[in-house]
Amino acid sequence: MADIHPTALVSPQAVLGKDVQIGPFCILHEGVVLGDRVRIDAYCELGVPTPLADGSPLIIGDDAWVRSHSVFYTASRFGEKLVTGHRVTVREHTVAGKNFQIGSLADIQGDCTIGDYVRFQSQVFVGKKTTIGNFVWALPHVVFTNDPTPPSHVLDGPTIEDYAVLAAMAVILPGVRVGRHALVAAHACVTRDVAPFTAVAGVPATVLGPTRAIHRRDMPGASAYPWPAHFRRGYPEEICAQWDTEFAGQGAA
């Protein structure tokens, strides 16, 4: 049975899984499909209709938690354990994997593909046609752009490969590819492709060197990258066990 606050407006066509919680003053339009144990906090609106959609539903997987004042348009799909901050906006045709974390005031413009275990911190902006791999970090105010000659009708979103880290206020320009395990420094403006395992910084961003050369502050002499060699907080045990094998010794002093 769903626990629906009496002030919430839930369409009879919405499909709710087991033990779903819908908070005060929420709106769920038709075409919303929620998995089991999903929690939707106050003042959220899910399944917003739009002429840009294709008629497919908004699907949110099991064990999600959508915090207050968040808005999700129709025709998007999210894997299990989605977690948002407050006042998140997600437009149509966004497809994301499991354990996606979206920080407060983030804005995903739709037509995006996002992998598993991706973490966005607050106020990340994702332009249409962006492709993001697995285990990617985007820190506060990161911007993914898509128009090479604004304003135009051309949309050429960037591609971010697995395990890349984009530090605060980095700007990724249209069509750029950031490679696996790359690091984009704070305030960098990335105008060209970044090779895997490479750190870049500056405006425009230039190569600093291999990420392996960047040392940890809590263990001088030990490499900070690849980060899964030492950072595990919030990741499930089975993922950490895989990392024990894949990254064994890579973060050592």
Side-chain angles (χ1 to χ4, degrees):
M1 296 254 331
D3 180 6
I4 303 174
H5 193 274
T7 61
L9 299 177
V10 179
S11 168
Q13 282 74 48
V15 178
L16 309 183
K18 298 177 182 178
D19 301 318
V20 168
Q21 300 177 53
I22 308 295
F25 302 103
C26 289
I27 300 173
L28 273 66
H29 296 271
E30 62 178 310
V32 172
V33 179
L34 303 183
D36 297 340
R37 299 172 300 280
V38 172
R39 172 178 169 180
I40 309 296
D41 286 352
Y43 294 97
C44 291
E45 185 172 6
L46 304 184
V48 176
T50 166
L52 299 178
D54 58 5
S56 60
L58 167 66
I59 300 174
I60 296 179
D62 296 346
D63 300 300
W65 183 3
V66 179
R67 289 186 170 89
S68 66
H69 296 89
S70 294
V71 178
F72 283 68
Y73 282 60
T74 191
S76 288
R77 186 172 71 251
F78 299 85
E80 63 182 78
K81 297 184 178 178
L82 167 72
V83 176
T84 82
H86 303 280
R87 301 183 185 277
V88 164
T89 301
V90 182
R91 293 296 303 263
E92 60 281 334
H93 303 301
T94 296
V95 178
K98 59 186 177 182
N99 291 77
F100 184 24
Q101 297 183 13
I102 313 174
S104 294
L105 294 167
D107 187 344
I108 301 174
Q109 284 288 292
D111 296 295
C112 299
T113 301
I114 299 167
D116 296 335
Y117 298 97
V118 172
R119 295 186 179 181
F120 288 173
Q121 294 186 350
S122 297
Q123 297 188 324
V124 169
F125 178 87
V126 185
K128 286 179 177 289
K129 303 295 185 180
T130 298
T131 300
I132 296 174
N134 303 311
F135 300 103
V136 170
W137 282 79
L139 277 62
H141 298 275
V142 168
V143 175
F144 300 90
T145 65
N146 59 14
D147 189 342
T149 55
S152 77
H153 298 292
V154 176
L155 295 179
D156 185 13
T159 298
I160 314 299
E161 296 182 355
D162 297 351
Y163 297 102
V165 177
L166 314 175
M169 295 188 175
V171 177
I172 314 300
L173 292 194
V176 166
R177 178 177 291 270
V178 177
R180 286 172 53 87
H181 293 282
L183 170 66
V184 177
H187 284 270
C189 181
V190 181
T191 62
R192 61 184 65 184
D193 290 356
V194 178
F197 296 93
T198 301
V200 299
V203 181
T206 57
V207 174
L208 294 177
T211 54
R212 180 94 175 109
I214 300 174
H215 292 163
R216 294 169 55 180
R217 299 296 180 91
D218 60 341
M219 187 179 293
S223 178
Y225 301 96
W227 59 264
H230 64 88
F231 185 89
R232 306 294 176 84
R233 188 178 69 235
Y235 294 103
E237 291 183 3
E238 62 270 21
I239 295 294
C240 296
Q242 294 175 20
W243 289 348
D244 284 339
T245 300
E246 184 176 356
F247 300 105
Q250 295 188 46

